Amino acid sequence: MTGGGGAAPGRVRRRARAVVLDIEGTVGALSHVRDVLFPYARERLARHVARQRGTDAHTALLRDVGAFADAPDLDETGAVALLLAWSDGDVKAPPLKALQALIWAEGYADGTLEGHVFPEVPGALERWRRAGIACHVYSSGARSAQYDWFAHSGRGDLTGLLSGCFDLTNGGDKRRQDSYLRIADTLGVPAGDIVFLSDVGAELDAAVLAGWQGVGVRRGGDPRGATVAGHPTVGTLDEVLLTAAAPPRTPARPPRTPPARVPAARHDGTEHT
């Protein structure tokens, strides 16, 4: 078993009420996002934006790109140029992520695309779900893209094993502590009862600062090495052994003190004082 310093990968045992998973590098291959999904969306981005001209979606896209870039008077040409630059730089920009999700959805729908999960992932999700541990996803990709990934996983539709998804909009920046505090509040689960699985040390650092239990994931052959510094690390989800944590106890109410008995009034017209 690994220690907090990120020793060689091994089994990690935790008690939890919820597990939150990163996607890229954790449940699916890094290369699938960078070599398949990103190029697919980039190639179709300008055409997709052009098809939206004259619609509310087109207006909203230009507005959102301009707001994120602090360029309120941006036109379509400028917006597309920024979106392409953000794509090339893997910028975690919500307008880009939302647009990528729309483009990918078309590819999933016509069978051109499918997601990717490692072989043990479906079994791990099912095992945790049976144990009463809610499984959630937290990724910079839009929630709709996350659901599409798991619906078209190449290993069946896995969305029924998920309790919810968080992205940059409803979760926030994955490297900020307050994002994890916000998610814990949304889940209604104490921070200490949530396990977060990720291949990125800065994300795990932020989660741990928020009181979560962080576990690093490093797949075989990862050029960054076999461990995530500062965190216990596993090589597959089968090495994460979770048991359900008991819900917090409701404090016992103190016994009720019966009200003091008030003496009845005397029949002679006087009262006790």
Side-chain angles (χ1 to χ4, degrees):
M1 176 175 170
T2 63
R11 293 187 173 185
V12 173
R13 299 178 185 272
R14 294 289 185 271
R15 288 187 175 273
R17 291 177 59 197
V19 58
V20 179
L21 303 106
D22 170 52
I23 293 181
E24 181 182 351
T26 300
V27 301
L30 286 161
S31 59
H32 188 74
V33 176
R34 297 177 182 179
D35 299 339
V36 178
L37 293 184
F38 281 177
Y40 182 93
R42 191 190 193 285
E43 179 184 344
R44 293 160 175 79
L45 190 150
R47 293 198 302 272
H48 187 93
V49 173
R51 290 204 318 263
Q52 293 182 326
R53 288 174 189 156
T55 67
D56 290 342
H58 187 269
T59 302
L61 176 65
L62 298 190
R63 181 194 64 225
D64 294 344
V65 172
F68 190 82
D70 196 20
D73 298 325
L74 204 63
D75 62 9
E76 180 182 313
T77 300
V80 168
L82 275 175
L83 288 163
L84 291 173
W86 292 343
S87 177
D88 293 341
D90 193 15
V91 176
K92 311 303 183 186
L96 171 66
K97 296 304 177 182
L99 184 59
Q100 287 174 329
L102 292 172
I103 297 171
W104 292 333
E106 295 176 354
Y108 287 122
D110 67 17
T112 306
L113 289 178
E114 67 177 12
H116 174 270
V117 298
F118 292 106
E120 87 285 358
V121 170
L125 294 175
E126 178 62 37
R127 184 166 62 251
W128 297 334
R129 182 171 172 270
R130 286 201 310 267
I133 300 168
C135 300
H136 299 265
V137 176
Y138 182 24
S139 174
S140 59
R143 279 170 287 168
S144 59
Q146 296 175 31
Y147 278 110
D148 276 338
W149 178 292
F150 283 92
H152 306 274
S153 72
R155 301 181 188 278
D157 183 351
L158 306 180
T159 56
L161 302 177
L162 302 177
S163 296
C165 293
F166 294 91
D167 61 9
L168 297 174
T169 301
N170 69 337
D173 188 329
K174 294 180 70 181
R175 299 182 184 227
R176 291 180 57 92
Q177 176 186 356
D178 57 353
S179 298
Y180 298 88
L181 295 171
R182 182 182 304 111
I183 291 172
D185 185 62
T186 299
L187 296 179
V189 175
D193 287 343
I194 304 173
V195 171
F196 179 50
L197 305 179
S198 174
D199 64 316
V200 178
E203 297 175 0
L204 291 166
D205 292 342
V208 170
L209 283 174
W212 293 26
Q213 304 177 70
V215 178
V217 180
R218 281 291 167 83
R219 298 288 175 169
D222 192 309
R224 296 169 296 177
T227 62
V228 181
H231 300 279
T233 305
V234 298
T236 74
L237 301 195
D238 281 342
E239 296 165 7
V240 182
L241 308 180
L242 301 182
T243 53
R249 292 183 177 180
T250 303
R253 292 184 177 180
R256 292 185 61 187
T257 302
R261 191 171 181 180
V262 179
R266 290 181 179 177
H267 294 295
D268 59 6
T270 63
E271 296 181 356
H272 291 290
T273 57

